[in-house]
Amino acid sequence: MNRNFPQFRRAVALIMLVVLATGCTSLYDRNKPIVALDVPSLRDIYADYFDVGVAVSLAGWSPQTFANHQDLIEWHFNSLTAENEMKPDALQPREGAFSFSTADKMVDYAVDNNLKVRGHTLVWHNQTPAWFFRDEAGDLIHEKPKEAITEADRELVKRRLEEHIEQVMTHYAGKVYAWDVVNEAVSDHYTTTHRPDSPWYIILGEDFMRIAFTKAHEVDPEAKLFYNDYNPEMYYKRGRTIDMLKSLLDEGVPIHGIGIQGHWSANGLNVREIEESIRMYAELGLEIHITELDVGRKGATEAQQAEAYRQLFRMFKRNSDVITSVTFWGTTDDVSWRRDENPLLFDAKKQPKPAFWAIVDTEKPWQQNRDEYLRR
Ligand code: 9MR
């Protein structure tokens, strides 16, 4: 009896192993595709904290995205941004010729599906047709020597700026609840506050911000008005941005929030700096939206990207007294403007990545979130 005991123990151990192993594989298969709508819903997970939004494209290089991704959009998100379709070149390609039809499809879809809409964007130096900046003779005003820019030129451009805001915001009043009124106006270089290559700035000077926000508030007093930029949370750009916003706010210019775009990288992500900046903007009385979130994977593993997302969302939750919306800049990696960096939560097959599982519950490792879900 005694002599056989080790053999008996080995046999029991083997049986237990077989039971466990078959038990596990019959419970779930990590390689089986996950049905997009079967995973936890981000907008439900974050319902007590902030809206979770997504930017989608209907007219861009991948127009089919909008139709093919409606399952993801409706399941995970409660806010929608048009990635390109509400920019000035899309809405007013020629002076006075407004073309709302594509953007309308997106806005109507959002309204039908209980998604809020963030409008992006009214005043920017990019994706803005040249006609905005031509004088009566057809010459580009911002290319003239400074002293050659006349009061009439300035009046003309100001009138166009106000007219664009008037038409667009009137068209979407009651449907678009927040607008990125001005996008990317702050310089990347410490020598100037405003980015010096913006035709708006060259022609109208710093007044263009005042003009835009004042007009926007007049047209739709209900809309939340945002200043949106990349890197305003970074030390190199933060001081200038705060100074600019503070002086406008002190004058009573109606700016309600700052949009921090959030085109970050897993490698070298500085969550503490971002959090510190969020508190500084909140001290100005501004509401915070993260407007274009994607976290590039260059030089990082999928697991490191997941960890970056986990830390970010943990921090967003800590600051949800001031952060009211977090929008991802795209649905799946293959349609991202940074597709070479796979920066989003879902892969080209709409499968949730480790980054997705990481933000399902930021207090647990991503694998645990995934496995608990798969075993449920
Ligand atoms: O994602 C947008 C891409 O499809 C466009 O080609 C590009 C053109 O300017 O604009 C991208 O979106 C930008 C956003 O409007 C403002 N912040 C930076 C975004 C990424 O470039």
Side-chain angles (χ1 to χ4, degrees):
M1 178 72 191
N2 260 357
R3 241 186 326 187
N4 287 339
F5 188 63
Q7 269 160 317
F8 174 72
R9 267 208 320 216
R10 262 203 300 276
V12 169
L14 198 71
I15 291 168
M16 277 171 63
L17 209 80
V18 169
V19 167
L20 261 173
T22 46
C24 284
T25 46
S26 69
L27 277 174
Y28 69 95
D29 178 356
R30 283 184 189 162
N31 297 318
K32 219 169 93 190
I34 289 169
V35 181
L37 305 191
D38 208 20
V39 298
S41 150
L42 293 175
R43 60 150 200 246
D44 289 351
I45 294 169
Y46 289 95
D48 292 340
Y49 298 99
F50 37 73
D51 293 329
V52 186
V54 68
V56 289
S57 212
L58 182 55
W61 61 274
S62 181
Q64 72 282 16
T65 319
F66 182 65
N68 293 348
H69 291 180
Q70 288 186 358
D71 48 1
L72 285 181
I73 299 170
E74 289 161 32
W75 184 246
H76 289 293
F77 304 103
N78 49 16
S79 175
L80 197 77
T81 306
E83 191 174 344
N84 289 298
E85 294 75 359
M86 294 173 99
K87 290 171 179 172
D89 60 352
L91 294 187
Q92 200 184 174
R94 281 167 295 113
E95 184 160 19
F98 286 86
S99 72
F100 290 115
S101 61
T102 307
D104 281 355
K105 278 188 200 138
M106 302 175 84
V107 172
D108 291 346
Y109 165 79
V111 171
D112 289 347
N113 287 283
N114 280 322
L115 296 145
K116 294 179 174 179
V117 183
R118 291 196 84 264
H120 175 83
T121 174
L122 294 165
V123 183
W124 194 18
H125 59 278
N126 268 343
Q127 289 176 281
T128 300
W131 67 256
F132 271 97
F133 310 115
R134 289 192 192 281
D135 64 14
E136 302 288 10
D139 296 325
L140 287 171
I141 300 168
H142 56 286
E143 288 183 357
K144 298 186 197 178
K146 205 174 172 166
E147 57 285 359
I149 300 177
T150 65
E151 203 41 47
D153 290 336
R154 274 190 280 272
E155 271 311 308
L156 184 64
V157 172
K158 177 172 183 259
R159 187 167 55 66
R160 289 171 177 158
L161 171 65
E162 293 189 321
E163 178 67 7
H164 184 75
I165 291 175
E166 168 106 38
Q167 296 294 329
V168 173
M169 287 188 72
T170 304
H171 186 83
Y172 289 115
K175 293 183 176 172
V176 172
Y177 86 104
W179 275 101
D180 292 332
V181 176
V182 176
N183 195 37
E184 300 173 4
V186 172
S187 167
D188 279 313
H189 199 263
Y190 69 91
T191 46
T192 64
T193 298
H194 294 79
R195 73 180 297 141
D197 61 345
S198 163
W200 296 115
Y201 176 66
I202 295 169
I203 300 167
L204 296 173
E206 51 183 71
D207 229 23
F208 88 89
M209 296 272 301
R210 200 173 290 117
I211 295 166
F213 279 95
T214 306
K215 182 67 184 176
H217 189 55
E218 179 194 307
V219 177
D220 184 358
E222 302 297 318
K224 286 188 181 182
L225 307 181
F226 281 76
Y227 172 69
N228 190 50
D229 208 343
Y230 61 88
N231 300 345
E233 76 287 357
M234 287 179 74
Y235 181 76
Y236 86 92
K237 202 165 167 179
R238 183 169 72 191
R240 283 194 286 292
T241 311
I242 289 180
D243 288 350
M244 179 190 77
L245 292 174
K246 192 168 180 331
S247 74
L248 290 166
L249 289 165
D250 286 348
E251 273 179 46
V253 177
I255 304 176
H256 307 128
I258 179 161
I260 296 175
Q261 293 184 0
H263 296 298
W264 291 313
S265 296
N267 206 351
L269 182 73
N270 189 342
V271 176
R272 187 191 287 198
E273 183 183 52
I274 302 170
E275 182 166 26
E276 190 179 81
S277 303
I278 286 171
R279 296 320 311 182
M280 289 170 89
Y281 287 112
E283 261 172 48
L284 298 180
L286 295 172
E287 193 169 323
I288 316 288
H289 282 188
I290 308 296
T291 51
E292 305 182 14
L293 180 61
D294 51 18
V295 180
R297 245 200 68 193
K298 203 169 271 170
T301 61
E302 287 233 298
Q304 286 166 334
Q305 181 185 44
E307 177 58 15
Y309 267 112
R310 189 181 75 85
Q311 288 190 21
L312 278 171
F313 273 77
R314 209 182 196 190
M315 183 272 282
F316 294 159
K317 283 195 282 188
R318 271 204 298 278
N319 291 281
S320 62
D321 57 327
V322 291
I323 300 176
T324 51
S325 174
V326 175
T327 289
F328 288 88
W329 204 243
T331 42
T332 57
D333 279 342
D334 56 314
V335 298
S336 162
W337 73 297
R338 295 169 84 189
R339 52 198 166 279
D340 53 328
E341 294 190 59
N342 298 318
L344 296 168
L345 302 182
F346 302 95
D347 69 16
K349 294 189 174 126
K350 298 200 270 189
Q351 294 297 294
K353 294 164 54 185
F356 169 82
W357 293 112
I359 63 168
V360 163
D361 181 345
T362 57
E363 300 314 302
K364 295 179 188 163
W366 69 267
Q367 294 95 331
Q368 193 179 333
N369 290 332
R370 179 199 56 188
D371 291 355
E372 280 175 7
Y373 157 78
L374 290 171
R375 280 205 193 94
R376 80 209 183 286

